[in-house]
Amino acid sequence: MSPATPGAPSAPTQGAPTGAPAAAFATRSIHGGRTPDPTTGAILTPIHQSTTFVQDGVGEHRGYTYSRDTNPTVATLEAALGSLEGAPPAVCTATGMAATSVLCLALLSAGDRVVVGEVVYGGTTRLLRRVLSRFDVRVDAADASDPVAWRAALAEPAALCIVESPANPTLALCDLAAAAEAAHAAGARLVVDNTFLTPALQSPFEFGADVVLYSTTKSIEGHNATLGGALLSRDADLLERFRLVRKTLGAPQSPFEAWLTLRGLKTLELRMARHSSSALAVARFLAEHPAVARVAHPFLDGFPQAELARRQQRDGGGLVAVELTGGVPAAHAFVRATRCFALAENLGSAESLVTHPATMTHGDLDPAERARLGIGDGLVRLSVGLEDPADLVADLDRALAAAGGAR
Ligand SMILES: Cc1ncc(COP(=O)(O)O)c(C=O)c1O
């Protein structure tokens, strides 16, 4: 590889602006991994919308050859994410599910066993149960919010463990340090899907995770504008395996989406603080409402795992799970009546969103299984956006009145 590529990032920096000491999160979210464009001085990394890169001679290039392998704009995002997680540059993929697929194909072989949290994003379960099971990968689900059940599931050896904390959609937490210890004792690597909290609010490597996974589609980009995924690890060998599978599978992040995600990162800390404070305000309002059977938010007083939430998270995050009395009819009337909260399957965006997991994201599960996992018919998941919290509360108040008529 020859040095400096005109218009391309040189060796990505790991955090602070050049020459500065290690910087705080907000500073890294703006400067980490970035340098001004060496050709023009543009302060923002250009969108290198190019499939291929001209070589001076066979094997003589500037670090970039073909964008399915790597691309300068994507490489800048990878370095920026690495700097926020205290890790080497990430491996960024086309979607969050592409990241999960790359992870599994890179780390699993026929005959391996995976232990997955029983409440995780439905696509993760679908990949494991309906696709990888055909390749002789054994999948066992365990309650990741119960350290005793989790340890019991790992009494037998395993290759990989996948957890979310908070989990989608119940918001049950997993004690990450305990989960890592049990995984390692069974010979497994622990993967934490940190999509809900982002590196602004939770740092899974501090608790022993081997891989951190993101759907950057959610809060990291934060504006409902992109699809993307990322895998981070402190193990250079794992990163190399991820890069090989991403290139071979053909699942890289696109330069334009990477550029939008770089922009989203700059406000990540501010947005996560606002999402968290507004979600807490919404949860407090809902907890007092007679049409509400149960509310979950990790920083709400009375949350069953409040101590763990404060130990593991820097704030509560933007999601609220609310169980309405009145089951499916009340939930459907509620999601139809909200105005600020759009009925849509995403989370972590500026716009507030609402979903009904039992008939949307988790509709694949049979009703008895859903009930056992705490995904009741009346459960509604709110992704609290960046609008004025008073308007959000007023919207929910009105929608609850409408849902009352459906009871
Ligand atoms: C926690 C979590 N992980 C992964 C994914 C998959 O991400 P994507 O939709 O970007 O493929 C999602 C999507 O909703 C998610 O909620």
Side-chain angles (χ1 to χ4, degrees):
M1 186 196 304
S2 38
T5 308
S10 47
T13 57
Q14 274 304 305
T18 316
F25 189 91
T27 309
R28 280 180 284 139
S29 73
I30 292 164
H31 296 287
R34 288 102 154 168
T35 46
D37 176 47
T39 310
T40 62
I43 196 160
L44 299 185
T45 302
I47 305 169
H48 291 275
Q49 192 68 43
S50 183
T51 309
T52 195
F53 299 84
V54 175
Q55 307 189 18
D56 297 331
V58 176
E60 283 177 54
H61 55 77
R62 297 163 175 83
Y64 301 97
T65 54
Y66 193 65
S67 285
R68 173 156 49 74
D69 183 9
T70 179
N71 169 285
T73 315
V74 177
T76 303
L77 173 62
E78 291 175 335
L81 285 170
S83 87
L84 292 183
E85 205 76 57
V91 176
C92 284
T93 52
T95 66
M97 280 312 300
T100 312
S101 303
V102 166
L103 167 88
C104 290
L105 288 180
L107 300 188
L108 292 172
S109 302
D112 278 347
R113 177 170 178 257
V114 179
V115 179
V116 61
E118 59 186 3
V119 184
V120 292
Y121 173 60
T124 306
T125 316
R126 199 158 50 234
L127 173 71
L128 293 170
R129 289 201 181 288
R130 301 205 7 212
V131 180
L132 288 171
S133 56
R134 290 197 287 111
F135 297 86
D136 193 26
V137 170
R138 184 174 142 204
V139 180
D140 289 319
D143 183 354
S145 69
D146 175 357
V148 176
W150 186 253
R151 259 197 310 278
L154 285 160
E156 273 183 70
L160 199 63
C161 295
I162 305 177
V163 297
E164 288 176 21
S165 186
N168 186 4
T170 60
L171 305 188
L173 305 188
C174 168
D175 183 328
L176 297 180
E181 198 183 313
H184 295 158
R189 294 191 171 92
L190 180 72
V191 180
V192 176
D193 181 337
N194 201 33
T195 296
F196 277 18
L197 291 179
T198 83
L201 302 189
Q202 181 167 269
S203 300
F205 289 132
E206 284 175 13
F207 302 100
D210 300 285
V211 177
V212 177
L213 183 147
Y214 288 107
S215 165
T216 60
T217 310
K218 312 288 186 296
S219 307
I220 287 190
E221 189 273 323
H223 294 75
N224 266 329
T226 62
L227 290 167
L231 291 164
L232 291 113
S233 177
R234 289 176 169 170
D235 181 330
D237 172 53
L238 292 193
L239 292 169
E240 201 43 53
R241 287 156 75 173
F242 297 153
R243 279 191 286 267
L244 173 75
V245 174
R246 175 186 62 178
K247 167 171 87 171
T248 308
L249 212 60
Q253 173 65 293
S254 82
F256 183 47
E257 315 238 336
W259 188 87
L260 287 170
T261 307
L262 278 164
R263 185 158 75 166
L265 278 187
K266 293 184 185 190
T267 53
L268 181 62
E269 192 182 53
L270 285 172
R271 287 186 288 108
M272 291 312 289
R274 172 71 171 232
H275 284 305
S276 298
S277 62
S278 293
L280 186 57
V282 159
R284 285 181 176 145
F285 161 76
L286 291 169
E288 300 298 321
H289 200 286
V292 167
R294 195 173 56 85
V295 184
H297 180 268
F299 272 36
L300 182 67
D301 287 342
F303 182 72
Q305 296 167 293
E307 186 277 324
L308 176 60
R310 305 261 168 188
R311 178 150 44 91
Q312 205 164 262
Q313 304 182 193
R314 290 184 276 281
D315 208 337
L319 291 168
V320 176
V322 50
E323 179 83 38
L324 304 183
T325 60
V328 172
H332 279 188
F334 176 80
V335 299
R336 233 191 334 266
T338 53
R339 291 289 168 267
C340 283
F341 285 85
L343 176 60
E345 285 190 18
N346 198 15
L347 58 94
S349 56
E351 296 82 5
S352 289
L353 302 176
V354 57
T355 58
H356 180 235
T359 49
M360 294 170 73
T361 47
H362 292 68
D364 275 3
L365 299 177
D366 72 73
E369 175 74 347
R370 269 203 311 271
R372 191 181 67 75
L373 299 178
I375 307 171
D377 285 350
L379 185 77
V380 169
R381 189 191 73 192
L382 301 173
S383 170
V384 178
L386 303 178
E387 302 90 341
D388 191 288
D391 288 335
L392 296 178
V393 165
D395 190 37
L396 296 173
D397 197 19
R398 245 184 346 87
L400 284 167
R407 242 168 237 113

